């Protein structure tokens, strides 16, 4: 069934309806899912996103209203959706530039970011005819072709080899790798890709402000996860006419920055608000 979009609007994170939506999502998440504590890599992903958003703010004027609300229409059924844009710059009344920030050690994260931006662009075009889009990728260990060969020779090799960066780029001909924002071809149909290293993020944020003890994640992975006892959190309010989760393709992987209502709600529940899990 074809998906259509209607009634798009850009709002801030203190919008009353958005806050209610987030609180409802958190209640459902706590009732239905055991939560693992965030890994160091998860925390780094959120810190890298904040660092790159701050950096973008020195290059472009960024909009405060970067929560995109809209209706998703499937046949006769409409559902209220929200997605948090990593960064948005309104260039003029007809043109915007939207950014998707990823910190990942897998090249396939680029393909997912590309698909997310294509969908976001389709919604934003109902508000702005021209939508430029850019992926900001923090490479935290994407394997080279030689490294993948060595990996697949190991006894515990994965069933399917990971993709190389070149293989992913070859499948996305309308993706434009650029060296800096000034090199953007300003293609309203394609998507730009600007890459950063972990060292670039350290230079922007300072090592003391980043979760870089990734070896601790490997040790924690060897320990069995004990789920907490069932939560007594519940709601007596009727289910709202919305989807059960905020409509960001990474809703389970990417939490907003600390001052958003989603993050505040997570913090009240004893969860980390800065835990966008890496791919």
């Amino acid at each position: 069934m074809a998906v259509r979009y209607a009634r798009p609007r850009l709002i801030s994170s203190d919008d009353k309806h958005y806050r209610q939506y987030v609180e409802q999502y958190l209640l459902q998440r706590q009732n239905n899912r055991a939560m693992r504590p965030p890994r160091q890599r998860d925390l780094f992903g959120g810190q890298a996103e904040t660092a790159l958003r701050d950096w973008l703010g020195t290059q472009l004027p960024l909009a405060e209203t970067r929560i995109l609300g809209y209706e998703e229409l499937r046949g006769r059924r409409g559902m209220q959706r929200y997605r948090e844009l990593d960064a948005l710059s309104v260039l003029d009344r007809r043109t915007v530039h939207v950014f998707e920030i990823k910190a990942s050690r897998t090249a396939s994260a680029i393909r997912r970011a590309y698909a997310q931006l294509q969908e976001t662009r389709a919604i934003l075009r109902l508000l702005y005819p021209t939508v430029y889009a850019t992926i900001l990728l923090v490479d935290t260990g994407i394997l080279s072709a030689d490294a993948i060969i060595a990996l697949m020779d190991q006894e515990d090799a994965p069933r399917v080899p990971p993709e190389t960066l070149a293989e992913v780029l070859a499948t996305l001909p309308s993706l434009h790798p650029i060296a800096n924002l000034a090199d953007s071809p300003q293609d309203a149909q394609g998507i730009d890709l600007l890459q950063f290293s972990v060292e670039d993020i350290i230079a922007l944020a300072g090592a003391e402000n980043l979760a870089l003890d990734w070896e601790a994640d490997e040790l924690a992975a060897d320990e069995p996860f004990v789920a907490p006892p069932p939560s007594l959190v519940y709601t007596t309010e009727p289910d709202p006419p919305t989807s059960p989760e905020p409509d960001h393709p990474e809703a389970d992987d990417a939490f907003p920055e600390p001052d958003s209502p989603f993050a505040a709600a997570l913090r009240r529940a004893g969860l980390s608000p800065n835990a966008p899990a890496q791919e």
Side-chain angles (χ1 to χ4, degrees):
M1 182 181 298
V3 178
R4 295 173 293 117
Y5 307 105
R7 302 180 186 275
R9 62 199 184 281
L10 288 167
I11 59 177
S12 63
S13 59
D14 60 358
D15 177 85
K16 178 180 71 173
H17 299 292
Y18 174 68
R19 293 175 70 92
Q20 292 173 347
Y21 185 90
V22 167
E23 294 287 352
Q24 181 69 22
Y25 162 71
L26 179 61
L27 288 169
Q28 293 175 352
R29 184 181 177 122
Q30 284 188 297
N31 282 329
N32 298 327
R33 303 185 63 178
M35 297 293 297
R36 286 181 179 270
R39 301 171 299 168
Q40 286 281 298
R41 282 182 177 272
D42 299 338
L43 296 172
F44 174 82
Q47 294 158 350
E49 179 180 324
T50 298
L52 286 178
R53 186 161 42 243
D54 291 344
W55 171 79
L56 276 174
T58 68
Q59 313 293 310
L60 295 166
L62 297 184
E64 294 292 330
T65 52
R66 59 183 180 89
I67 307 298
L68 179 59
Y70 60 98
E71 288 184 13
E72 182 180 277
L73 306 176
R74 296 176 181 268
R76 296 183 178 181
R77 185 183 180 190
M79 299 179 69
Q80 179 63 50
R81 301 281 196 176
Y82 294 94
R83 63 178 60 198
E84 183 171 359
L85 309 179
D86 290 343
L88 180 74
S89 180
V90 180
L91 304 180
D92 58 50
R93 63 182 183 178
R94 296 179 57 84
T95 309
V96 294
H97 195 156
V98 61
F99 296 85
E100 180 70 26
I101 302 173
K102 293 283 188 189
S104 183
R105 51 181 169 174
T106 63
S108 57
I110 297 172
R111 186 177 290 109
R112 290 191 289 275
Y114 185 93
Q116 288 170 220
L117 280 177
Q118 288 285 59
E119 187 174 24
T120 297
R121 170 181 272 163
I123 302 167
L124 282 173
R125 277 179 175 157
L126 299 175
L127 292 171
Y128 298 91
T130 302
V131 181
Y132 301 131
T134 299
I135 300 168
L136 303 183
L137 174 71
V138 183
D139 180 348
T140 63
I142 296 176
L143 297 179
S144 66
D146 289 342
I148 291 173
I149 292 174
L151 173 68
M152 299 308 293
D153 283 340
Q154 295 178 9
E155 191 173 309
D156 58 347
R159 184 173 57 85
V160 178
E163 295 177 289
T164 65
L165 185 60
E167 287 171 339
V168 172
L169 294 179
T171 66
L172 300 172
S174 58
L175 187 67
H176 313 299
I178 58 176
N180 54 66
L181 289 179
D183 292 339
S184 172
Q186 298 288 280
D187 179 1
Q189 304 302 319
I191 292 176
D192 298 336
L193 172 65
L194 182 56
Q195 297 181 61
F196 296 83
S197 66
V198 173
E199 289 71 25
D200 291 331
I201 303 304
I202 291 174
L204 288 173
E208 68 278 6
N209 299 314
L210 298 170
L212 297 169
D213 185 13
W214 297 348
E215 291 184 3
D217 293 338
E218 305 302 326
L219 295 174
D222 295 332
E223 300 177 359
F225 173 60
V226 179
S231 171
L232 296 180
V233 176
Y234 65 95
T235 176
T236 56
E237 296 297 322
D239 290 337
T242 63
S243 64
E245 299 184 358
D247 185 41
H248 189 293
E250 288 187 312
D252 287 342
D253 302 327
F255 300 162
E257 75 282 5
D259 59 351
S260 75
F262 192 10
L266 289 168
R267 191 162 50 245
R268 288 195 299 273
L271 306 173
S272 170
N274 262 342
Q278 280 196 53
E279 313 288 341

